Amino acid sequence: MIIDCHGHYTTAPKQHEQWRQAQIEAHSKGVQAPPRPEITDDEIRDSISSGQLRLQRERGTDLTIFSPRAAGMGHHLGDAATSEAWAIACNDLIHRVCSLFPQNFVGVCMLPQSPGTSPKNSIGELERCVRDLGFIGCNLNPDPSGGYWTDPPLSDPYWYPIYEKMIELDVPAMIHVSYACNPAFHTTGSHYLNGDTTAFMQFLTSDVFQRFPRLKIIIPHGGGAVPYHWGRFRGLAQALKLPLLKDHLLSNIYFDTCVYHLPGQELLAKVIPVDNILFASEMIGAVPGIDPETGYNFDDTKRYIDQLPISAAEKTKIFEGNAKRVFSGMASRLNIRGNK
């Protein structure tokens, strides 16, 4: 089985995004948002069958861990109540996709984060998604301000309530910012990678994993700058008199393979232990075009893993075993798959 741990619903029916625009406009005018739009099962089927499901079949993957569109989370828009309503709408739509295509998709939720709003505010939606909708993880935005980093770092006790709930529910979080409203940052070219690297450094300089040894964190996009600068981070840890990174972080932090060329995947697999790498593509997402050097899509990441100079057993860990271990709730979902 090949499990893609990083997929977003980037092809959602257009009335979903239209409602979001109307919601934000209503908030700006101080009036009530319109009711959520009617979206039929057939519209959802069409949006998936011609998009993610088609690419699954073409590329030879089996199951996608699926969440709302990351750039669409927009936690900096509106207020806490706006974010909560939007998160519920997005997560409900993911649940419908997973119910219509249980063989192919399993849900991960976005959280109703808002700048300056305690992560405690997200606990209710996380519980609903895991306990009622069968989701197996969440996306956690370390910068709800959209590029201004106004909230405390992930090392701060401010975040402890959501960590405690994640451990109680036994679900991991993927660190994922949303789109940048700061014009200094390109959303996918710099803000995403900044978020990944910044989160890693915040954990490195903290005792979060000593306080929460069962906490599971996935840093996407190959970890941003982390593998490329592994020596820098090792040296900083040494200068700060911290334990070796393998002991300090690698029992809790994992990296995905949303790296869009073979040399990058080779570096990731060379620097980061295989047990800490989860297969992912983020299709249809940040880089959807065809690489003229290969003739294949940049985000067809399975091709890169297939070419790595590692054993078949190690590839199986990347493609399947590690995801099953990190997303412990997947076992029950796979049983559902098997019974269909």
Side-chain angles (χ1 to χ4, degrees):
M1 171 179 284
I2 299 190
I3 301 169
D4 186 337
C5 81
H6 188 170
H8 299 300
Y9 195 7
T10 55
T11 60
K14 62 182 183 299
Q15 59 265 47
H16 178 62
E17 281 293 336
Q18 289 170 347
W19 180 78
R20 170 62 163 173
Q21 294 168 9
Q23 182 210 29
I24 295 302
E25 182 177 349
H27 177 269
S28 69
K29 294 178 178 178
V31 300
Q32 186 174 357
R36 281 160 55 179
E38 293 290 333
I39 299 175
T40 68
D41 285 353
D42 283 344
E43 287 174 312
I44 294 174
R45 288 190 187 97
D46 289 344
S47 72
I48 291 293
S49 296
S50 61
Q52 286 85 358
L53 186 60
R54 175 180 61 82
L55 291 180
Q56 274 188 1
R57 291 167 175 165
E58 289 178 1
R59 298 180 184 182
T61 60
D62 298 297
L63 180 70
T64 299
I65 298 173
F66 207 48
S67 64
R69 187 169 68 94
M73 293 189 297
H75 292 125
H76 59 281
L77 299 172
D79 56 18
T82 310
S83 288
E84 182 174 20
W86 177 234
I88 290 170
C90 291
N91 292 330
D92 284 351
L93 200 56
I94 293 295
H95 177 57
R96 291 181 65 188
V97 170
C98 297
S99 298
L100 290 169
F101 299 94
Q103 298 276 341
N104 303 97
F105 299 94
V106 61
V108 160
C109 67
M110 67 174 279
L111 299 176
Q113 296 178 249
S114 187
T117 300
S118 170
K120 290 180 182 178
N121 192 61
S122 294
I123 286 175
E125 181 62 4
L126 177 59
E127 286 186 314
R128 181 184 81 95
C129 288
V130 174
R131 291 180 171 157
D132 298 343
L133 306 185
F135 286 20
I136 61 172
C138 63
N139 290 340
L140 182 65
N141 187 348
D143 174 33
S145 73
Y148 290 95
W149 295 89
T150 56
D151 280 2
L154 294 168
S155 54
D156 194 271
Y158 178 81
W159 297 92
Y160 289 1
I162 200 71
Y163 297 161
E164 290 165 354
K165 184 56 62 172
M166 286 167 53
I167 290 168
E168 177 188 327
L169 297 171
D170 194 17
V171 295
M174 176 174 283
I175 301 298
H176 211 309
V177 295
S178 187
Y179 84 84
C181 60
N182 184 337
F185 302 116
H186 185 278
T187 293
T188 54
S190 61
H191 185 47
Y192 279 15
L193 305 181
N194 291 345
D196 305 333
T197 308
T198 299
F200 181 85
M201 191 65 194
Q202 289 176 357
F203 286 124
L204 187 153
T205 54
S206 78
D207 64 352
V208 165
F209 298 131
Q210 286 69 51
R211 292 177 178 272
F212 303 103
R214 292 170 49 215
L215 187 65
K216 294 178 287 189
I217 299 291
I218 302 160
I219 299 185
H221 318 118
V226 173
Y228 188 72
H229 288 286
W230 194 246
R232 176 182 293 259
F233 294 111
R234 287 176 52 237
L236 289 169
Q238 179 175 288
L240 293 168
K241 302 187 185 309
L242 296 170
L244 296 175
L245 291 187
K246 65 182 180 65
D247 301 319
H248 186 44
L249 300 178
L250 293 187
S251 294
N252 305 87
I253 284 182
Y254 304 86
F255 302 84
D256 80 10
T257 66
C258 290
V259 179
Y260 295 146
H261 66 155
L262 179 59
Q265 296 285 3
E266 291 173 332
L267 176 69
L268 178 66
K270 186 174 182 179
V271 172
I272 302 301
V274 167
D275 287 344
N276 292 81
I277 302 174
L278 280 65
F279 173 70
S281 70
E282 204 176 7
M283 69 173 192
I284 304 165
V287 187
I290 293 176
D291 183 347
E293 295 182 4
T294 67
Y296 297 104
N297 285 79
F298 285 103
D299 61 6
D300 189 357
T301 54
K302 180 179 179 294
R303 292 181 179 276
Y304 309 136
I305 309 304
D306 288 339
Q307 296 175 71
L308 291 179
I310 59 177
S311 70
E314 289 172 318
K315 290 178 183 179
T316 297
K317 285 185 176 182
I318 293 173
F319 280 134
E320 175 181 3
N322 295 339
K324 289 179 177 177
R325 179 164 50 87
V326 174
F327 291 92
S328 57
M330 190 179 300
S332 61
R333 302 299 302 162
L334 292 177
N335 286 337
I336 292 173
R337 270 179 108 240
N339 292 330
K340 293 291 180 179

